[in-house]
Amino acid sequence: MIDHLRQLEAEAIYILRETAAQFERPALLFSGGKDSITLVHLSLKAFRPSRFPYPLVHIDTGHNFPEAITYRDEMAARIDEKLIVRNVQDSINRGTAIEEKGRFASRNTLQTVTLLETIEEFRFDACIGGARRDEEKARAKERIFSVRDSFGQWDPRLQRPELWNIYNGKIQPGENVRVFPLSNWTELDVWNYIRLEQIPIPNLYFTHKRQVFEKDGILFPVSDFIKLEKEPVSETEVRFRTVGDMTCTAAVASRASSLDEIIEEIKASNTTERGSRLDDKRSESAMEDRKRSGYF
């Protein structure tokens, strides 16, 4: 297992260094989730004692978990790297994004607008992210260097071949590339690596008591962003397998309070990591539709 993780680590570090070498203005998209945390840890290994050759960029929906925001700020201060935060609310105020209506209205899709505005503002030509091919079938189509056109759109039919770890970063003016160093990792690989490297993570991932309500067999955290409709609220021991917008990220009942217990729980699970994400359930092709419009 350690040899396997070190091989994945070496590949990811190579990709990060290739990104720094091939692009003029790269950025690392950071959400406060375990995958982007792993990317920051790998960046420390790739570039220390020098500073990162890219800033950390967070697109804040305004509906994020407070624990993730606290972790984000503390981590950026601890490693002393530049953090750029852009807010979906500002896009709504400008009229470039339109707030969804309805009970489970989410700003998750609206991140696309703010991300594309941020790319244009800073002229980023590459954005590094923690997406993995095992997460969702649309992401399984991605290359490690995934080209977006001048409108931020992705066409799976125009993916470039990547043979013998040779990555082609050549792009036309206005285009940019999304880079996925963790493409070949699985959820279990990430957790085993976090355990191996003892990487600190937000307590959202460990069992804790939280007020939740049940909808269609799924547990949702009680928040100011979802209006209850007579559903009973209970304080339950839960944790989160993925961290995103609170309006579309469900909790799972769990007693896993350590990394070892999380790993054993994932091994025994018969549901995918994103199996309870509401944004992925809007249609059969929800993820691919978002990616085609510029979603990460």
Side-chain angles (χ1 to χ4, degrees):
M1 173 61 69
I2 292 178
D3 288 344
H4 170 68
L5 293 175
R6 291 304 181 205
Q7 183 176 1
L8 290 173
E9 177 190 66
E11 178 189 56
I13 288 173
Y14 171 74
I15 293 166
L16 290 171
R17 289 172 174 167
E18 278 291 298
T19 303
Q22 293 196 42
F23 297 98
E24 295 181 1
R25 301 179 70 86
L28 193 158
L29 298 189
F30 183 79
S31 67
K34 67 182 186 311
D35 300 304
S36 57
I37 290 170
T38 299
L39 282 177
V40 169
H41 184 80
L42 290 164
S43 296
L44 290 169
K45 288 198 166 192
F47 301 110
R48 283 294 190 257
S50 299
R51 302 291 299 275
F52 289 0
Y54 37 71
L56 309 179
V57 176
H58 182 217
I59 306 301
D60 189 347
T61 67
H63 295 171
N64 296 94
F65 288 91
E67 298 93 330
I69 299 300
T70 298
Y71 181 96
R72 176 199 73 187
D73 295 339
E74 290 177 349
M75 187 213 66
R78 173 169 48 85
I79 66 174
D80 190 26
E81 292 292 344
K82 183 178 181 180
L83 171 66
I84 296 170
V85 178
R86 289 296 180 266
N87 299 287
V88 169
Q89 184 63 54
D90 291 334
S91 298
I92 294 171
N93 294 343
R94 286 191 293 268
T96 54
I98 300 175
E99 187 92 74
E100 290 186 359
K101 305 296 183 182
R103 187 179 176 207
F104 285 96
S106 174
R107 291 183 173 182
N108 201 50
T109 303
L110 302 186
Q111 290 181 91
T112 299
V113 175
T114 310
L115 173 60
L116 295 178
E117 291 173 343
T118 305
I119 290 172
E120 183 177 5
E121 176 185 357
F122 292 95
R123 294 183 291 115
F124 293 133
D125 53 2
C127 292
I128 304 164
R132 307 185 320 271
R133 291 188 179 119
D134 76 317
E135 287 182 274
E136 208 274 342
K137 57 187 178 183
R139 286 184 167 169
K141 299 178 183 180
E142 292 273 16
R143 298 293 192 265
I144 289 174
F145 275 23
S146 182
V147 178
R148 301 301 199 270
D149 66 20
S150 57
F151 297 99
Q153 296 176 324
W154 171 71
D155 188 339
R157 296 169 299 178
L158 301 179
Q159 295 291 292
R160 297 171 175 177
E162 291 178 338
L163 307 175
W164 306 292
N165 291 333
I166 298 174
Y167 305 113
N168 180 4
K170 186 176 182 180
I171 55 176
Q172 300 296 325
E175 294 179 337
N176 63 82
V177 171
R178 311 295 168 85
V179 180
F180 302 114
L182 304 183
S183 285
N184 294 327
W185 298 48
T186 65
E187 181 188 11
L188 200 56
D189 289 331
V190 172
W191 281 114
N192 278 313
Y193 187 73
I194 288 172
R195 179 175 62 178
L196 177 66
E197 293 289 305
Q198 291 297 295
I199 304 171
I201 55 175
N203 60 12
L204 289 164
Y205 286 109
F206 298 103
T207 292
H208 57 284
K209 288 188 176 180
R210 184 179 291 265
Q211 286 193 324
V212 298
F213 68 95
E214 186 174 334
K215 173 70 173 175
D216 298 329
I218 299 174
L219 298 177
F220 290 97
V222 174
S223 71
D224 295 333
F225 315 122
I226 301 178
K227 294 180 180 180
L228 295 176
E229 292 184 350
K230 299 181 181 180
E231 291 92 351
V233 172
S234 62
E235 190 170 77
T236 306
E237 287 188 332
V238 299
R239 72 177 193 88
F240 295 88
R241 287 178 70 180
T242 177
V243 174
D245 192 297
M246 292 181 71
T247 59
C248 61
T249 305
V252 293
S254 172
R255 293 188 177 180
S257 57
S258 68
L259 290 173
D260 288 343
E261 290 172 343
I262 288 174
I263 289 169
E264 291 305 313
E265 183 179 272
I266 293 171
K267 286 180 179 178
S269 176
N270 59 4
T271 60
T272 64
E273 178 181 2
R274 297 181 66 94
S276 57
R277 285 286 295 262
L278 277 188
D279 49 337
D280 290 347
K281 295 179 180 292
R282 293 190 172 191
S283 72
E284 183 67 23
S285 60
M287 173 66 81
E288 183 156 333
D289 292 341
R290 296 201 307 276
K291 290 171 73 65
R292 286 179 182 271
S293 65
Y295 185 78
F296 191 73

